[in-house]
Amino acid sequence: MSGVARVAERSLRQGGSVDGRPWSADPYSDALRNGRGPLFLRRADGWLLPLEVERWCADADAADLEVLRRCEGAVLDVGCGPGRLVAALGVRGRRVLGIDVSEAAVARTVALGGQALHRSVFEPLPGEGRWGTVLLIDGNIGIGGDPRALLDRTAQLLAPGGLLIAETVAGLDVDEQIHVRVADAHGTVGTAFPWARLGTPALLRHGDRAGWRAVDQWSADGRSFVALRSRTACSSTYSSAEPPNSTAVSSSQRVAKPSADRPVAEV
């Protein structure tokens, strides 16, 4: 693992910050609890990227549903946020688990009836090597600030022939690895953490070097997406994965318990 990847892993194990302050103390958590922004990612030079909190906290939209239509087998939503994709897959009878380093995100996912773990993608996860699809939506290809490390980790999570669907920066060939902070409109900022921003050409370059092949690209509602498979994997659909362990969080009122042959409960 590269030095950058080791830093990213340590950071994410600490909850997404470089000094150990958890995301639960971040303006991001307050925004998720309230279901609204404004909220931004702020770079050291003052550049601001608006975060679409209201969209994330709403129901899955048409662009989201096009992503979900392409999912195969059991789905792992990495950086699931407030859980709209987990919930939408669940009500369609799909097996799905969300993971997020934000306690508020996990709580909101559970409130929607989904299953979620408060965990980093770089930590041990249930069903490693058996997920049919991994999602990196809403810019989550940037997790950890090292796209190669994240692509390598995703390959470990997927079954042979599994599918990675990632959202990229629309309309730009950006390839940026930076440290950012979450900031609200009142000037409150969280601690710095590593992040990356990739346009579709950049993701394809990183994927090519990491042994992935592009199988699809599309745009919807001003958003851009890429589907990738490992070149070395045979093309087939897998649907088995371990159920979440005892640290998984779920809604007992709205989600049935997992059965022995299902990775997560169905809504």
Side-chain angles (χ1 to χ4, degrees), residues 7 26 33 43 49 64 71 73-74 83 89 98 109-110 114 135 142 154-155 190 198 208 210 218 263-265:
V7 171
D26 210 276
R33 293 188 188 102
R43 209 164 50 190
L49 174 69
D64 295 327
C71 290
L89 283 165
T109 300
V110 169
L135 298 178
T154 302
L198 298 182
D208 184 65
W218 70 97
V264 291

Side-chain angles (χ1 to χ4, degrees), residues 23 28-29 31-33 35 39 51-58 76-87 96-119 135-140 143 195 249:
W23 275 65
Y28 175 72
S29 299
L32 288 195
R33 293 188 188 102
L39 201 67
L51 299 179
E52 299 181 82
V53 177
E54 288 84 359
R55 179 174 66 80
W56 298 346
C57 291
L76 180 66
D77 186 3
V78 175
C80 65
R84 75 186 190 282
L85 302 183
V86 174
V96 56
L97 174 69
I99 63 169
D100 207 291
V101 296
S102 163
E103 293 176 349
V106 170
R108 186 143 184 158
T109 300
V110 169
L112 291 177
Q115 281 201 330
L117 285 170
H118 180 217
R119 197 171 299 181
L135 298 178
L136 291 168
I137 306 301
D138 299 326
N140 285 332
I143 288 173
W195 196 251
V249 182

Side-chain angles (χ1 to χ4, degrees), residues 29-232:
S29 299
D30 292 334
L32 288 195
R33 293 188 188 102
N34 296 328
R36 62 181 183 274
L39 201 67
F40 310 90
L41 285 184
R42 192 177 80 178
R43 209 164 50 190
D45 62 4
W47 170 90
L48 294 174
L49 174 69
L51 299 179
E52 299 181 82
V53 177
E54 288 84 359
R55 179 174 66 80
W56 298 346
C57 291
D59 293 337
D61 61 19
D64 295 327
L65 295 179
E66 180 62 23
V67 169
L68 303 188
R69 185 185 67 80
R70 297 165 188 259
C71 290
E72 302 171 357
V75 180
L76 180 66
D77 186 3
V78 175
C80 65
R84 75 186 190 282
L85 302 183
V86 174
L89 283 165
V91 299
R92 286 160 176 77
R94 300 298 299 270
R95 288 159 285 177
V96 56
L97 174 69
I99 63 169
D100 207 291
V101 296
S102 163
E103 293 176 349
V106 170
R108 186 143 184 158
T109 300
V110 169
L112 291 177
Q115 281 201 330
L117 285 170
H118 180 217
R119 197 171 299 181
S120 159
V121 67
F122 293 105
E123 293 180 310
L125 293 171
E128 294 202 11
R130 289 185 292 281
W131 292 99
T133 303
V134 170
L135 298 178
L136 291 168
I137 306 301
D138 299 326
N140 285 332
I141 189 64
I143 288 173
D146 184 342
R148 176 61 186 269
L150 185 57
L151 287 170
D152 289 347
R153 176 58 176 147
T154 302
Q156 295 172 351
L157 297 171
L158 282 167
L163 188 68
L164 166 62
I165 302 179
E167 184 170 354
T168 60
V169 177
L172 294 175
D173 186 11
V174 60
D175 189 351
E176 184 177 54
Q177 299 176 37
I178 53 178
H179 277 78
V180 294
R181 299 173 185 265
V182 177
D184 63 22
H186 306 292
T188 303
V189 297
T191 51
F193 58 93
W195 196 251
R197 297 176 67 236
L198 298 182
T200 293
L203 176 55
L204 295 178
R205 290 193 296 268
H206 283 286
D208 184 65
R209 297 186 199 109
W212 296 79
R213 62 182 177 89
V215 294
D216 205 357
Q217 303 174 43
W218 70 97
S219 297
D221 294 338
R223 298 163 62 193
S224 296
F225 305 90
V226 176
L228 301 168
R229 293 189 197 274
S230 172
R231 283 200 192 95
T232 59

